[in-house]
Amino acid sequence: EGQLSIEYLTSWRRNMEAAKLTCTEGCVCEETLLDGRRKEGQVSINEHINIPLSKTAVDCVIHLEIVPSTTPPMDVTETIDETDERQVRRAKEAKSIVFKVLSINVLQGRSQ
């Protein structure tokens, strides 16, 4: 018995999506939706979740599938200064779908 510890980015940006996590080989865990879109506040925050895990082999294979976020996008209008290269680059990046995993760890034993 143990836990799958996952840290991922959540943000208010419209292009943030979600990931469906499943354990596919060597372990058993509950299918979990990790939603990368925040419900409120124009901030980006690292979220942390522990998922109960039963290992059936030495190696544990998990699968992350990018899926649409279940959280509606916030109604936010961003103005971009076309002379600011950083803002222009971020605006282009905002058109791509994003889900960012920061860390995945297997923790042995039960946490309190």
Side-chain angles (χ1 to χ4, degrees):
E1 295 293 315
Q3 293 190 358
L4 188 59
S5 175
I6 301 174
E7 186 176 14
Y8 62 100
L9 181 69
T10 63
S11 178
W12 59 276
R13 297 191 176 275
R14 296 178 85 75
N15 64 326
M16 293 302 286
E17 293 297 347
K20 180 173 66 172
L21 179 139
T22 52
C23 292
T24 58
E25 190 176 317
C27 54
V28 177
C29 66
E30 186 174 317
E31 181 177 287
T32 303
L33 181 70
L34 308 171
D35 199 340
R37 191 177 295 152
R38 296 197 59 74
K39 294 174 180 54
E40 56 188 39
Q42 283 185 277
V43 295
S44 295
I45 296 175
N46 297 348
E47 291 289 341
H48 183 263
I49 186 171
N50 285 335
I51 301 166
L53 176 78
S54 295
K55 289 185 72 175
T56 58
V58 174
D59 293 330
C60 175
V61 178
I62 63 168
H63 178 78
L64 287 172
E65 176 186 359
I66 303 300
V67 296
S69 173
T70 58
T71 303
M74 291 173 52
D75 188 19
V76 176
T77 305
E78 292 182 80
T79 31
I80 298 165
D81 178 356
E82 297 293 336
T83 61
D84 185 330
E85 289 180 24
R86 182 173 175 232
Q87 286 186 25
V88 171
R89 184 180 70 246
R90 287 182 72 188
K92 287 180 183 175
E93 290 171 354
K95 293 179 182 174
S96 62
I97 293 172
V98 176
F99 184 84
K100 186 174 185 178
V101 174
L102 304 169
S103 69
I104 299 176
N105 296 294
V106 174
L107 307 175
Q108 297 300 320
R110 293 181 184 264
S111 68
Q112 302 297 327

